[in-house]
PDB file of all heavy atoms in Angstrom:
ATOM      1  N   ILE A 293      -9.250 -18.819 -11.335  1.00  0.00           N
ATOM      2  CA  ILE A 293      -7.912 -19.139 -11.655  1.00  0.00           C
ATOM      3  C   ILE A 293      -7.413 -20.372 -10.819  1.00  0.00           C
ATOM      4  O   ILE A 293      -7.438 -20.301  -9.568  1.00  0.00           O
ATOM      5  CB  ILE A 293      -6.851 -17.959 -11.402  1.00  0.00           C
ATOM      6  CG1 ILE A 293      -7.317 -16.735 -12.208  1.00  0.00           C
ATOM      7  CG2 ILE A 293      -5.497 -18.421 -11.840  1.00  0.00           C
ATOM      8  CD1 ILE A 293      -6.544 -15.508 -11.881  1.00  0.00           C
ATOM      9  N   GLN A 294      -6.999 -21.411 -11.401  1.00  0.00           N
ATOM     10  CA  GLN A 294      -6.457 -22.624 -10.765  1.00  0.00           C
ATOM     11  C   GLN A 294      -5.173 -22.988 -11.429  1.00  0.00           C
ATOM     12  O   GLN A 294      -5.092 -23.135 -12.625  1.00  0.00           O
ATOM     13  CB  GLN A 294      -7.591 -23.742 -10.787  1.00  0.00           C
ATOM     14  CG  GLN A 294      -8.780 -23.453 -10.004  1.00  0.00           C
ATOM     15  CD  GLN A 294      -9.868 -24.458 -10.116  1.00  0.00           C
ATOM     16  OE1 GLN A 294     -10.072 -25.016 -11.272  1.00  0.00           O
ATOM     17  NE2 GLN A 294     -10.644 -24.688  -9.101  1.00  0.00           N
ATOM     18  N   GLY A 295      -4.114 -23.252 -10.585  1.00  0.00           N
ATOM     19  CA  GLY A 295      -2.919 -23.614 -11.160  1.00  0.00           C
ATOM     20  C   GLY A 295      -2.252 -22.514 -11.929  1.00  0.00           C
ATOM     21  O   GLY A 295      -1.353 -22.768 -12.784  1.00  0.00           O
ATOM     22  N   GLY A 296      -2.705 -21.284 -11.746  1.00  0.00           N
ATOM     23  CA  GLY A 296      -2.179 -20.113 -12.585  1.00  0.00           C
ATOM     24  C   GLY A 296      -2.869 -19.929 -13.834  1.00  0.00           C
ATOM     25  O   GLY A 296      -2.462 -19.060 -14.668  1.00  0.00           O
ATOM     26  N   ILE A 297      -3.910 -20.749 -14.164  1.00  0.00           N
ATOM     27  CA  ILE A 297      -4.629 -20.772 -15.429  1.00  0.00           C
ATOM     28  C   ILE A 297      -6.091 -20.530 -15.264  1.00  0.00           C
ATOM     29  O   ILE A 297      -6.735 -21.033 -14.326  1.00  0.00           O
ATOM     30  CB  ILE A 297      -4.386 -22.073 -16.206  1.00  0.00           C
ATOM     31  CG1 ILE A 297      -2.890 -22.360 -16.332  1.00  0.00           C
ATOM     32  CG2 ILE A 297      -5.127 -22.108 -17.507  1.00  0.00           C
ATOM     33  CD1 ILE A 297      -2.559 -23.733 -16.863  1.00  0.00           C
ATOM     34  N   SER A 298      -6.663 -19.641 -16.121  1.00  0.00           N
ATOM     35  CA  SER A 298      -8.080 -19.345 -15.978  1.00  0.00           C
ATOM     36  C   SER A 298      -8.908 -20.596 -16.192  1.00  0.00           C
ATOM     37  O   SER A 298      -8.576 -21.439 -17.053  1.00  0.00           O
ATOM     38  CB  SER A 298      -8.533 -18.285 -17.004  1.00  0.00           C
ATOM     39  OG  SER A 298      -8.317 -18.711 -18.322  1.00  0.00           O
ATOM     40  N   ASN A 299     -10.022 -20.780 -15.392  1.00  0.00           N
ATOM     41  CA  ASN A 299     -10.800 -21.975 -15.637  1.00  0.00           C
ATOM     42  C   ASN A 299     -12.242 -21.703 -16.116  1.00  0.00           C
ATOM     43  O   ASN A 299     -13.038 -22.584 -16.140  1.00  0.00           O
ATOM     44  CB  ASN A 299     -10.938 -22.619 -14.125  1.00  0.00           C
ATOM     45  CG  ASN A 299     -11.724 -21.821 -13.148  1.00  0.00           C
ATOM     46  OD1 ASN A 299     -12.262 -20.749 -13.444  1.00  0.00           O
ATOM     47  ND2 ASN A 299     -11.799 -22.312 -11.869  1.00  0.00           N
ATOM     48  N   GLY A 300     -12.453 -20.518 -16.588  1.00  0.00           N
ATOM     49  CA  GLY A 300     -13.666 -20.171 -17.171  1.00  0.00           C
ATOM     50  C   GLY A 300     -14.730 -19.506 -16.331  1.00  0.00           C
ATOM     51  O   GLY A 300     -15.722 -18.936 -16.785  1.00  0.00           O
ATOM     52  N   LYS A 301     -14.513 -19.496 -14.982  1.00  0.00           N
ATOM     53  CA  LYS A 301     -15.407 -18.796 -14.117  1.00  0.00           C
ATOM     54  C   LYS A 301     -14.936 -17.324 -14.051  1.00  0.00           C
ATOM     55  O   LYS A 301     -13.882 -16.949 -14.519  1.00  0.00           O
ATOM     56  CB  LYS A 301     -15.235 -19.461 -12.638  1.00  0.00           C
ATOM     57  CG  LYS A 301     -15.751 -20.852 -12.538  1.00  0.00           C
ATOM     58  CD  LYS A 301     -17.178 -21.055 -12.639  1.00  0.00           C
ATOM     59  CE  LYS A 301     -17.822 -20.683 -11.336  1.00  0.00           C
ATOM     60  NZ  LYS A 301     -19.315 -21.033 -11.356  1.00  0.00           N
ATOM     61  N   ASP A 302     -15.762 -16.513 -13.475  1.00  0.00           N
ATOM     62  CA  ASP A 302     -15.449 -15.111 -13.326  1.00  0.00           C
ATOM     63  C   ASP A 302     -14.134 -15.004 -12.549  1.00  0.00           C
ATOM     64  O   ASP A 302     -13.964 -15.666 -11.502  1.00  0.00           O
ATOM     65  CB  ASP A 302     -16.541 -14.314 -12.633  1.00  0.00           C
ATOM     66  CG  ASP A 302     -17.730 -14.140 -13.418  1.00  0.00           C
ATOM     67  OD1 ASP A 302     -17.799 -14.486 -14.555  1.00  0.00           O
ATOM     68  OD2 ASP A 302     -18.814 -13.660 -12.795  1.00  0.00           O
ATOM     69  N   ILE A 303     -13.251 -14.171 -12.989  1.00  0.00           N
ATOM     70  CA  ILE A 303     -12.062 -13.754 -12.278  1.00  0.00           C
ATOM     71  C   ILE A 303     -12.386 -12.581 -11.375  1.00  0.00           C
ATOM     72  O   ILE A 303     -12.938 -11.587 -11.941  1.00  0.00           O
ATOM     73  CB  ILE A 303     -10.862 -13.394 -13.226  1.00  0.00           C
ATOM     74  CG1 ILE A 303     -10.434 -14.633 -13.924  1.00  0.00           C
ATOM     75  CG2 ILE A 303      -9.704 -12.829 -12.447  1.00  0.00           C
ATOM     76  CD1 ILE A 303      -9.366 -14.375 -15.041  1.00  0.00           C
ATOM     77  N   PHE A 304     -12.073 -12.665 -10.137  1.00  0.00           N
ATOM     78  CA  PHE A 304     -12.337 -11.499  -9.249  1.00  0.00           C
ATOM     79  C   PHE A 304     -11.166 -11.317  -8.265  1.00  0.00           C
ATOM     80  O   PHE A 304     -10.605 -12.283  -7.895  1.00  0.00           O
ATOM     81  CB  PHE A 304     -13.649 -11.643  -8.508  1.00  0.00           C
ATOM     82  CG  PHE A 304     -13.821 -12.658  -7.501  1.00  0.00           C
ATOM     83  CD1 PHE A 304     -13.509 -12.492  -6.127  1.00  0.00           C
ATOM     84  CD2 PHE A 304     -14.238 -13.961  -7.886  1.00  0.00           C
ATOM     85  CE1 PHE A 304     -13.631 -13.492  -5.238  1.00  0.00           C
ATOM     86  CE2 PHE A 304     -14.364 -15.025  -6.913  1.00  0.00           C
ATOM     87  CZ  PHE A 304     -14.054 -14.705  -5.571  1.00  0.00           C
ATOM     88  N   PHE A 305     -10.851 -10.076  -7.958  1.00  0.00           N
ATOM     89  CA  PHE A 305      -9.765  -9.755  -7.101  1.00  0.00           C
ATOM     90  C   PHE A 305     -10.050  -8.443  -6.384  1.00  0.00           C
ATOM     91  O   PHE A 305     -10.930  -7.685  -6.780  1.00  0.00           O
ATOM     92  CB  PHE A 305      -8.398  -9.735  -7.903  1.00  0.00           C
ATOM     93  CG  PHE A 305      -8.362  -8.791  -9.057  1.00  0.00           C
ATOM     94  CD1 PHE A 305      -8.001  -7.455  -8.810  1.00  0.00           C
ATOM     95  CD2 PHE A 305      -8.657  -9.193 -10.307  1.00  0.00           C
ATOM     96  CE1 PHE A 305      -7.957  -6.594  -9.852  1.00  0.00           C
ATOM     97  CE2 PHE A 305      -8.538  -8.412 -11.366  1.00  0.00           C
ATOM     98  CZ  PHE A 305      -8.162  -7.017 -11.194  1.00  0.00           C
ATOM     99  N   LYS A 306      -9.259  -8.227  -5.375  1.00  0.00           N
ATOM    100  CA  LYS A 306      -9.387  -6.979  -4.587  1.00  0.00           C
ATOM    101  C   LYS A 306      -8.010  -6.295  -4.557  1.00  0.00           C
ATOM    102  O   LYS A 306      -6.980  -6.926  -4.350  1.00  0.00           O
ATOM    103  CB  LYS A 306      -9.886  -7.260  -3.188  1.00  0.00           C
ATOM    104  CG  LYS A 306     -10.241  -6.010  -2.370  1.00  0.00           C
ATOM    105  CD  LYS A 306     -10.510  -6.385  -0.959  1.00  0.00           C
ATOM    106  CE  LYS A 306     -11.890  -7.160  -0.877  1.00  0.00           C
ATOM    107  NZ  LYS A 306     -12.259  -7.399   0.591  1.00  0.00           N
ATOM    108  N   VAL A 307      -8.019  -4.940  -4.563  1.00  0.00           N
ATOM    109  CA  VAL A 307      -6.780  -4.149  -4.565  1.00  0.00           C
ATOM    110  C   VAL A 307      -6.904  -3.163  -3.469  1.00  0.00           C
ATOM    111  O   VAL A 307      -7.900  -2.417  -3.233  1.00  0.00           O
ATOM    112  CB  VAL A 307      -6.539  -3.386  -5.903  1.00  0.00           C
ATOM    113  CG1 VAL A 307      -5.190  -2.709  -5.902  1.00  0.00           C
ATOM    114  CG2 VAL A 307      -6.664  -4.356  -7.039  1.00  0.00           C
ATOM    115  N   ALA A 308      -5.912  -3.078  -2.535  1.00  0.00           N
ATOM    116  CA  ALA A 308      -5.845  -2.146  -1.460  1.00  0.00           C
ATOM    117  C   ALA A 308      -4.991  -0.925  -1.769  1.00  0.00           C
ATOM    118  O   ALA A 308      -3.844  -1.046  -2.216  1.00  0.00           O
ATOM    119  CB  ALA A 308      -5.311  -2.790  -0.217  1.00  0.00           C
ATOM    120  N   PHE A 309      -5.489   0.285  -1.450  1.00  0.00           N
ATOM    121  CA  PHE A 309      -4.852   1.489  -1.688  1.00  0.00           C
ATOM    122  C   PHE A 309      -4.592   2.201  -0.268  1.00  0.00           C
ATOM    123  O   PHE A 309      -5.485   2.318   0.556  1.00  0.00           O
ATOM    124  CB  PHE A 309      -5.671   2.504  -2.499  1.00  0.00           C
ATOM    125  CG  PHE A 309      -5.753   2.031  -3.972  1.00  0.00           C
ATOM    126  CD1 PHE A 309      -6.540   1.036  -4.435  1.00  0.00           C
ATOM    127  CD2 PHE A 309      -4.986   2.746  -4.897  1.00  0.00           C
ATOM    128  CE1 PHE A 309      -6.602   0.697  -5.760  1.00  0.00           C
ATOM    129  CE2 PHE A 309      -5.015   2.414  -6.262  1.00  0.00           C
ATOM    130  CZ  PHE A 309      -5.835   1.382  -6.679  1.00  0.00           C
ATOM    131  N   LYS A 310      -3.403   2.661  -0.193  1.00  0.00           N
ATOM    132  CA  LYS A 310      -3.003   3.429   1.053  1.00  0.00           C
ATOM    133  C   LYS A 310      -3.637   4.828   0.999  1.00  0.00           C
ATOM    134  O   LYS A 310      -4.088   5.293  -0.060  1.00  0.00           O
ATOM    135  CB  LYS A 310      -1.523   3.573   1.194  1.00  0.00           C
ATOM    136  CG  LYS A 310      -0.871   4.518   0.202  1.00  0.00           C
ATOM    137  CD  LYS A 310       0.633   4.665   0.392  1.00  0.00           C
ATOM    138  CE  LYS A 310       1.291   5.737  -0.487  1.00  0.00           C
ATOM    139  NZ  LYS A 310       2.683   5.859  -0.342  1.00  0.00           N
ATOM    140  N   PRO A 311      -3.725   5.506   2.181  1.00  0.00           N
ATOM    141  CA  PRO A 311      -4.102   6.876   2.236  1.00  0.00           C
ATOM    142  C   PRO A 311      -3.113   7.740   1.414  1.00  0.00           C
ATOM    143  O   PRO A 311      -1.884   7.447   1.346  1.00  0.00           O
ATOM    144  CB  PRO A 311      -4.080   7.258   3.716  1.00  0.00           C
ATOM    145  CG  PRO A 311      -4.029   5.986   4.369  1.00  0.00           C
ATOM    146  CD  PRO A 311      -3.350   5.036   3.544  1.00  0.00           C
ATOM    147  N   VAL A 312      -3.660   8.776   0.760  1.00  0.00           N
ATOM    148  CA  VAL A 312      -2.757   9.756   0.057  1.00  0.00           C
ATOM    149  C   VAL A 312      -1.770  10.322   1.010  1.00  0.00           C
ATOM    150  O   VAL A 312      -2.141  10.730   2.098  1.00  0.00           O
ATOM    151  CB  VAL A 312      -3.654  10.922  -0.588  1.00  0.00           C
ATOM    152  CG1 VAL A 312      -2.650  11.914  -1.252  1.00  0.00           C
ATOM    153  CG2 VAL A 312      -4.624  10.276  -1.512  1.00  0.00           C
ATOM    154  N   PRO A 313      -0.483  10.290   0.687  1.00  0.00           N
ATOM    155  CA  PRO A 313       0.526  10.670   1.713  1.00  0.00           C
ATOM    156  C   PRO A 313       0.606  12.195   1.921  1.00  0.00           C
ATOM    157  O   PRO A 313       1.205  12.616   2.969  1.00  0.00           O
ATOM    158  CB  PRO A 313       1.811  10.025   1.150  1.00  0.00           C
ATOM    159  CG  PRO A 313       1.624   9.954  -0.328  1.00  0.00           C
ATOM    160  CD  PRO A 313       0.199   9.637  -0.449  1.00  0.00           C
ATOM    161  N   THR A 314       0.143  12.944   0.977  1.00  0.00           N
ATOM    162  CA  THR A 314       0.218  14.410   1.177  1.00  0.00           C
ATOM    163  C   THR A 314      -0.945  14.856   2.031  1.00  0.00           C
ATOM    164  O   THR A 314      -2.143  14.727   1.646  1.00  0.00           O
ATOM    165  CB  THR A 314       0.141  15.142  -0.161  1.00  0.00           C
ATOM    166  OG1 THR A 314       1.273  14.818  -0.981  1.00  0.00           O
ATOM    167  CG2 THR A 314       0.169  16.718   0.058  1.00  0.00           C
ATOM    168  N   ILE A 315      -0.690  15.221   3.241  1.00  0.00           N
ATOM    169  CA  ILE A 315      -1.719  15.633   4.184  1.00  0.00           C
ATOM    170  C   ILE A 315      -1.480  17.126   4.640  1.00  0.00           C
ATOM    171  O   ILE A 315      -0.379  17.684   4.520  1.00  0.00           O
ATOM    172  CB  ILE A 315      -1.749  14.702   5.470  1.00  0.00           C
ATOM    173  CG1 ILE A 315      -0.416  14.807   6.223  1.00  0.00           C
ATOM    174  CG2 ILE A 315      -2.036  13.239   5.045  1.00  0.00           C
ATOM    175  CD1 ILE A 315      -0.480  14.002   7.464  1.00  0.00           C
ATOM    176  N   MET A 316      -2.641  17.706   5.012  1.00  0.00           N
ATOM    177  CA  MET A 316      -2.515  19.118   5.439  1.00  0.00           C
ATOM    178  C   MET A 316      -2.254  19.267   6.894  1.00  0.00           C
ATOM    179  O   MET A 316      -2.893  20.079   7.539  1.00  0.00           O
ATOM    180  CB  MET A 316      -3.873  19.883   5.087  1.00  0.00           C
ATOM    181  CG  MET A 316      -4.148  19.738   3.528  1.00  0.00           C
ATOM    182  SD  MET A 316      -2.750  20.401   2.534  1.00  0.00           S
ATOM    183  CE  MET A 316      -3.160  19.774   0.891  1.00  0.00           C
ATOM    184  N   LYS A 317      -1.380  18.468   7.375  1.00  0.00           N
ATOM    185  CA  LYS A 317      -0.906  18.569   8.792  1.00  0.00           C
ATOM    186  C   LYS A 317       0.609  18.630   8.811  1.00  0.00           C
ATOM    187  O   LYS A 317       1.286  18.233   7.834  1.00  0.00           O
ATOM    188  CB  LYS A 317      -1.253  17.306   9.604  1.00  0.00           C
ATOM    189  CG  LYS A 317      -2.787  17.135   9.827  1.00  0.00           C
ATOM    190  CD  LYS A 317      -3.056  15.901  10.680  1.00  0.00           C
ATOM    191  CE  LYS A 317      -4.446  15.692  11.054  1.00  0.00           C
ATOM    192  NZ  LYS A 317      -4.785  14.598  11.973  1.00  0.00           N
ATOM    193  N   THR A 318       1.191  19.223   9.890  1.00  0.00           N
ATOM    194  CA  THR A 318       2.567  19.315   9.945  1.00  0.00           C
ATOM    195  C   THR A 318       3.180  17.957  10.234  1.00  0.00           C
ATOM    196  O   THR A 318       2.583  17.212  11.096  1.00  0.00           O
ATOM    197  CB  THR A 318       3.041  20.372  10.984  1.00  0.00           C
ATOM    198  OG1 THR A 318       2.431  20.043  12.160  1.00  0.00           O
ATOM    199  CG2 THR A 318       2.536  21.779  10.593  1.00  0.00           C
ATOM    200  N   GLN A 319       4.343  17.635   9.653  1.00  0.00           N
ATOM    201  CA  GLN A 319       4.980  16.374   9.960  1.00  0.00           C
ATOM    202  C   GLN A 319       6.462  16.637   9.993  1.00  0.00           C
ATOM    203  O   GLN A 319       6.988  17.545   9.377  1.00  0.00           O
ATOM    204  CB  GLN A 319       4.781  15.416   8.839  1.00  0.00           C
ATOM    205  CG  GLN A 319       3.300  15.017   8.639  1.00  0.00           C
ATOM    206  CD  GLN A 319       3.177  13.997   7.487  1.00  0.00           C
ATOM    207  OE1 GLN A 319       3.136  12.824   7.704  1.00  0.00           O
ATOM    208  NE2 GLN A 319       2.976  14.530   6.272  1.00  0.00           N
TER     209      GLN A 319
END
């Protein structure tokens, strides 16, 4: 993607996920 427009090459990206907030510890 260049200038917000696809240029014909493979589009690749990465997405980060947080840890699941429900834990089996007291909080």
Side-chain angles (χ1 to χ4, degrees):
I293 303 171
Q294 294 174 322
I297 301 171
S298 62
N299 66 4
K301 299 286 281 188
D302 290 352
I303 293 174
F304 66 93
F305 57 85
K306 188 188 291 184
V307 187
F309 287 77
K310 72 177 182 179
V312 176
T314 299
I315 62 176
M316 301 305 162
K317 291 185 175 183
T318 57
Q319 299 179 92

